[in-house]
Amino acid sequence: MNLVNNILKSQSSMEVLRRSFSISPRLLTEKSLTIREAITQAMDEEISRDERVFLIGEEVAQYDGAYKMSKGLWKKHGDKRIVDTPITEMGFAGLATGAAMAGLRPICEFMTFNFSMQAIDHVINSAAKAYYMSAGKVKVPIVFRGPNGAAAGVGAQHSQDYSSWYSQCPGLKVIAPYSAEDCRGLLKAAIRDDDPVVFLENELLYGLHFPLSDEASSTDFVLPIGKGKIEREGKHITLVGYSIGVKICMEAAKELEQSGIQCEVVNLRSLRPLDEDIIKNSVKKTHYLLTVEFGWSQCSIGSEVITRICESDAFDYLDGPPIRVTGADVPLAYAKTLEQNSMPQVANVVKSIKKILNK
Amino acid sequence: MNIYAKLIVRLPANGCRLLLQQQQQKINSSIPSLATAVRKASSGPILEYDEPNAYKLHMLEEGPSNHVSCTREEGLDFYRKMQVVRRMEASANNMYKAKLIRGFCHLYSGQEAICVGMKAAMDKNDSLITAYRAHGWTYMMGVSVTGVLAELTGKKTGCSEGRGGSMHMYGTNFYGGNGIVGAQVPLGAGVAFAHKYRGEQNVCVALYGDGAANQGQVFEAFNMAKLWLLPCIFVCENNGYGMGTSTARASANPNFYKRCEYIPGLWVDGMDVLAVREATRFARDWCTSGKGPIIMEMATYRYFGHSMSDPGTSYRTREEVQDVRKSRDPIASFREKLVQAKLVTEDEFKGIDNEVKKLIEDAENHAQNDPELPVDELYSHVYSSPPANFKIRGCDNFTFKDISK
């Protein structure tokens, strides 16, 4: 009798709890993580796991990282594993690549990918092509990572999106993660990968929280490079995005839900190799395609996605022309309104979807 | 029966004029030859002599020993190796002219004393990286002559299966063969970084030319190597010309061994294989004793033009080239020393020459007659770990290659 009373009492208190705080049991156990934490953790775990892994770049050690991406790592792992460099991108990217050729596994951080242009000869000619040119004698297990694309108000020279540049080059693997789970799993996979990887983060996402499943918290959690994810299922149109592009796709999808339009959002996760199949399967279901990214339109990732769909049997499933949402075709201005209108907004996505669907 | 005689060559001070005009790029300068005085002595089969002008020092209290020597065996070995490189490059020259080699081909002829002398002082686990004038180094780092020549002709028996060509040959502890001028220098500093990281007692030798010596990334590499005391020997192979531009026209400071004000430097007569070896021993000791990097400038000369498309006579005279061949050739001068010391007879040298000739001919055979990789192979070795169900696109929408591991 007491037991039954206890159960009834606890059930009713749960009811009270639920009504007052609107907390569902699932959320109580689910963790959340910022992108920043996800990346720091991934690096920490891989550095602890394999003594050949080390982090090298400007301000990564004693400053905890220009964007605090390596917070606490130098204190924990020391000078040997977390290496501060002078401001010499070409030199340290080359040095890191040489160290990789000689069997270490460097994580080479570019403070932003804009500065990687100074070092791009090493990323492409020294790293990407070495395995092929040497007929397999020279492996380059390096990860080049850092923030890519626009920040806020940093001006044209500090805002470029290099997705197209790097993803064009065979020999590289190019990853552009979106969520905390993406960052954890894909950065760990990148560090464990024997090929050179370019890991394109986004500064505007660094502080955002994302839920993290238990599985994704495991130290051996890796995601496959070259496979995308359906972030949201839908049947009316396929939205393909990567990195911060996924964010506005999700926001547009939420907004259009109210109009009865259900968008399927494909998060590419990797740009090279590109997960063609996930896009094709989605297009075959929805019959419409819109690509969304923050980089410039000419030779964009969206151009590649649309061309691949048109070249495949998925073309026959299209009921309307596939189009793109991209950054405006200008160097990025500083003034707030100009900057905002040079970057794609939810409104651009919503407008494009309505046009395609004739709604 | 061989008569071994230990020969000490003493160079009378006033009779000694040496070969060191590298700093002055006078087109018609006649280069004085080494005057030797020979005195026979008894016992021990070695060649030894003093080379008082073999080195110049920058930020170093003392340098390598001016007294150099080698045993008969070493002498034969060095001669043979230099001759292999010389003949191998001659073969490349001929095959290029016969259109069996395409694209770029940069020949090492004249610089043999550097690759042979340096390698003799290196440990077998030391690493090396150089630029595109790499065939001699490729051979010295363990790739067979066939591996080199067949790579030049693009055959699958080439050391890179024909995928690399002249500028992209690799071997054990040998990181190429690099096409972009100067890129190999930070890469080499990175290899040295790896040696130090793993606590190994090895160095990385990173070579570059007088043309590359002005590259910014070279100075970036110097900076980090010194900051972190990397065991890196930076070696400038100064052959007087960066493509068609003499050092005087390219470098405000053509003393390449002095170019870094915080890294000690050593200028070496790069035409003397024993001086090169002695200097390399010194440099290696410097690096492996935790003192950090060191720079060496090897004063040398290339007989051919910059590459096969450069006759090499529009920016220097034929007389200059001939002068060097006559008076400073690293192989002929070393041979002469060994003969004069009565360590090796002319007949023995002829025997070696014939043996080398056969070796090259055999390699040429492979280079000319072996097959290329089948076309399908053009899709492999893009990734060392390709993802599952990975496809590579060919030249049209109907050509794809499935790569699965």
Side-chain angles (χ1 to χ4, degrees):
Chain A
M1 199 59 190
N2 269 342
L3 187 64
V4 172
N5 281 341
N6 280 337
I7 291 170
L8 285 168
K9 252 188 243 162
S10 65
Q11 271 181 342
S12 59
S13 23
M14 275 311 285
E15 277 299 309
V16 169
L17 216 60
R18 224 177 260 129
R19 273 185 220 139
S20 354
F21 300 107
S22 313
I23 299 168
S24 75
R26 219 182 316 132
L27 246 137
L28 280 167
T29 59
E30 202 164 63
K31 278 188 284 196
S32 94
L33 202 66
T34 61
I35 299 283
R36 178 175 284 111
E37 287 164 339
I39 291 174
T40 312
Q41 271 179 21
M43 290 198 285
D44 185 19
E45 287 166 16
E46 295 305 301
I47 290 170
S48 303
R49 174 182 180 267
D50 186 336
E51 60 184 9
R52 298 168 299 174
V53 178
F54 67 98
L55 173 63
I56 183 168
E58 295 158 10
E59 310 297 351
V60 296
Q62 299 186 18
Y63 198 83
D64 275 338
Y67 296 97
K68 306 302 175 203
M69 304 309 288
S70 48
K71 185 164 179 204
L73 297 187
W74 175 67
K75 269 214 183 86
K76 178 174 175 185
H77 298 286
D79 283 330
K80 183 180 171 182
R81 313 297 297 282
I82 314 291
V83 182
D84 273 339
T85 65
I87 308 173
T88 52
E89 272 77 5
M90 197 168 187
F92 72 72
L95 188 144
T97 305
M101 288 177 173
L104 297 183
R105 307 185 72 90
I107 306 166
C108 178
E109 177 176 301
F110 289 121
M111 197 181 282
T112 76
F113 267 93
N114 300 286
F115 317 135
S116 75
M117 286 200 288
Q118 303 209 299
I120 201 166
D121 178 62
H122 284 298
V123 180
I124 308 296
N125 278 325
S126 303
K129 299 178 185 172
Y131 192 71
Y132 190 91
M133 292 193 296
S134 68
K137 286 198 174 95
V138 180
K139 277 192 206 176
V140 191
I142 191 169
V143 176
F144 296 103
R145 54 155 288 273
N148 173 58
V154 293
Q157 291 181 342
H158 287 70
S159 306
Q160 191 167 328
D161 185 321
Y162 294 87
S163 311
S164 298
W165 287 32
Y166 288 117
S167 68
Q168 203 198 30
C169 191
L172 286 181
K173 288 174 180 163
V174 181
I175 301 174
Y178 164 62
S179 64
E181 181 181 301
D182 288 358
C183 288
R184 255 189 76 72
L186 290 169
L187 185 54
K188 285 162 80 69
I191 295 166
R192 297 183 192 193
D193 197 294
D194 281 346
D195 291 313
V197 180
V198 171
F199 193 84
L200 303 169
E201 302 158 9
N202 187 287
E203 196 229 315
L204 297 173
L205 296 177
Y206 279 158
L208 293 191
H209 281 85
F210 288 84
L212 197 75
S213 66
D214 280 338
E215 190 211 340
S217 312
S218 137
T219 50
D220 275 318
F221 173 69
V222 289
L223 286 170
I225 297 175
K227 287 274 168 280
K229 180 188 179 200
I230 306 288
E231 288 292 341
R232 182 194 173 110
E233 282 184 14
K235 58 187 183 184
H236 293 130
I237 183 167
T238 299
L239 308 182
V240 175
Y242 62 92
S243 185
I244 197 173
V246 176
K247 183 167 185 288
I248 56 168
C249 287
M250 296 294 275
E251 288 166 10
K254 192 158 182 222
E255 190 180 302
L256 286 167
E257 207 175 30
Q258 281 141 29
S259 319
I261 299 174
Q262 286 159 41
C263 305
E264 178 145 290
V265 178
V266 176
N267 171 8
L268 286 175
R269 283 181 161 173
S270 297
L271 303 179
R272 176 180 271 271
L274 191 69
D275 191 351
E276 239 176 86
D277 288 339
I278 201 175
I279 309 169
K280 279 194 330 205
N281 292 337
S282 177
V283 168
K284 285 180 180 176
K285 185 172 80 170
T286 67
H287 310 297
Y288 293 94
L289 172 62
L290 177 73
T291 68
V292 178
E293 69 204 281
F294 277 55
W296 292 315
S297 53
Q298 187 154 334
C299 303
S300 58
I301 300 297
S303 310
E304 177 66 16
V305 167
I306 289 173
T307 304
R308 291 220 200 171
I309 291 301
C310 292
E311 282 186 333
S312 76
D313 59 341
F315 175 78
D316 295 323
Y317 290 73
L318 286 170
D319 287 340
I323 60 175
R324 307 164 292 176
V325 167
T326 67
D329 204 22
V330 295
L332 194 62
Y334 160 71
K336 190 161 184 188
T337 328
L338 297 183
E339 185 186 62
Q340 276 173 341
N341 284 279
S342 305
M343 300 269 91
Q345 300 172 47
V346 176
N348 298 105
V349 180
V350 167
K351 177 171 89 180
S352 302
I353 293 172
K354 286 183 170 165
K355 285 262 183 190
I356 297 174
L357 297 177
N358 268 316
K359 292 220 161 91
Chain B
M1 190 140 171
N2 289 317
I3 300 166
Y4 296 111
K6 172 175 169 173
L7 179 74
I8 299 170
V9 176
R10 288 245 187 88
L11 306 168
N14 58 349
C16 163
R17 286 169 295 125
L18 288 170
L19 333 163
L20 320 162
Q21 301 293 340
Q22 208 70 6
Q23 291 181 58
Q24 304 141 22
Q25 290 297 329
K26 294 177 202 161
I27 296 297
N28 284 315
S29 67
S30 62
I31 300 154
S33 51
L34 175 67
T36 65
V38 168
R39 202 190 332 143
K40 266 190 230 180
S42 60
S43 82
I46 71 168
L47 164 69
E48 57 178 331
Y49 55 91
D50 288 324
E51 261 259 44
N53 294 339
Y55 319 113
K56 285 189 273 197
L57 309 181
H58 166 66
M59 287 173 52
L60 284 168
E61 290 294 310
E62 45 180 31
S65 170
N66 291 93
H67 184 78
V68 297
S69 67
C70 73
T71 64
R72 181 185 128 89
E73 285 69 36
E74 287 169 335
L76 288 168
D77 182 47
F78 296 162
Y79 175 83
R80 184 178 183 280
K81 288 187 167 124
M82 288 196 284
Q83 195 68 297
V84 168
V85 174
R86 180 67 61 91
R87 294 281 169 97
M88 180 177 73
E89 296 292 73
S91 165
N93 177 50
N94 293 334
M95 288 203 288
Y96 194 95
K97 291 187 169 129
K99 296 200 195 303
L100 297 169
I101 299 176
R102 308 177 311 122
F104 296 124
C105 188
H106 309 83
L107 300 178
Y108 201 69
S109 313
Q111 305 185 201
E112 299 86 356
I114 302 175
C115 63
V116 174
M118 288 198 75
K119 187 66 172 72
M122 284 165 64
D123 176 84
K124 66 178 183 337
N125 293 318
D126 284 346
S127 310
L128 191 131
I129 190 168
T130 186
Y132 45 72
R133 199 174 302 282
H135 310 155
W137 278 113
T138 309
Y139 171 69
M140 289 309 297
M141 292 302 289
V143 175
S144 68
V145 180
T146 302
V148 173
L149 293 183
E151 184 59 35
L152 291 176
T153 54
K155 308 303 190 197
K156 72 179 194 189
T157 40
C159 62
S160 298
E161 298 177 358
R163 293 168 191 277
S166 169
M167 301 185 288
H168 307 294
M169 302 186 188
Y170 306 82
T172 314
N173 300 324
F174 176 54
Y175 298 91
N178 288 274
I180 307 297
V181 171
Q184 74 280 11
V185 181
L187 291 176
V191 174
F193 182 96
H195 280 309
K196 181 166 186 183
Y197 188 97
R198 288 189 293 249
E200 294 160 359
Q201 286 305 302
N202 291 107
V203 300
C204 179
V205 179
L207 298 121
Y208 56 98
D210 46 281
N214 296 313
Q215 277 262 316
Q217 59 186 317
V218 168
F219 293 92
E220 295 186 14
F222 286 168
N223 184 43
M224 286 181 284
K226 183 66 178 188
L227 273 176
W228 304 332
L229 297 179
L230 301 181
C232 194
I233 305 177
F234 295 106
V235 183
C236 178
E237 287 179 304
N238 179 6
N239 58 24
Y241 301 91
M243 202 154 147
T245 307
S246 67
T247 56
R249 289 206 305 129
S251 298
N253 177 359
N255 293 310
F256 301 104
Y257 70 111
K258 288 190 193 173
R259 288 295 288 274
C260 188
E261 58 175 11
Y262 48 80
I263 297 181
L266 181 58
W267 178 100
V268 183
D269 174 3
M271 301 308 242
D272 183 326
V273 68
L274 298 186
V276 169
R277 180 174 70 155
E278 199 59 40
T280 307
R281 279 175 179 156
F282 176 89
R284 203 182 174 279
D285 281 342
W286 182 273
C287 286
T288 52
S289 59
K291 298 199 187 81
I294 191 168
I295 297 173
M296 287 208 279
E297 177 185 340
M298 296 285 177
T300 185
Y301 199 83
R302 55 164 163 82
Y303 295 141
F304 288 102
H306 163 72
S307 71
M308 290 305 302
S309 58
D310 169 30
T313 47
S314 62
Y315 47 89
R316 52 186 197 176
T317 63
R318 286 183 209 277
E319 286 76 46
E320 178 186 296
V321 184
Q322 278 159 19
D323 265 341
V324 179
R325 261 199 207 272
K326 259 195 312 230
S327 59
R328 295 175 55 198
D329 186 273
I331 303 177
S333 59
F334 188 60
R335 174 174 171 151
E336 195 187 308
K337 288 194 183 88
L338 289 167
V339 164
Q340 293 214 348
K342 297 211 180 351
L343 254 59
V344 185
T345 65
E346 282 290 356
D347 275 346
E348 280 178 298
F349 276 128
K350 286 207 181 82
I352 296 175
D353 289 350
N354 282 332
E355 193 202 309
V356 169
K357 185 163 176 253
K358 283 204 195 78
L359 173 70
I360 304 302
E361 273 168 8
D362 180 58
E364 263 178 354
N365 222 333
H366 281 284
Q368 288 170 23
N369 299 315
D370 285 352
E372 276 191 23
L373 283 175
V375 171
D376 214 38
E377 281 290 315
L378 76 87
Y379 299 103
S380 40
H381 294 309
V382 174
Y383 288 141
S384 75
S385 44
N389 307 316
F390 182 57
K391 274 184 335 186
I392 296 186
R393 188 185 165 106
C395 293
D396 58 43
N397 199 34
F398 314 101
T399 312
F400 290 87
K401 178 78 196 287
D402 244 288
I403 310 278
S404 2
K405 253 227 167 135

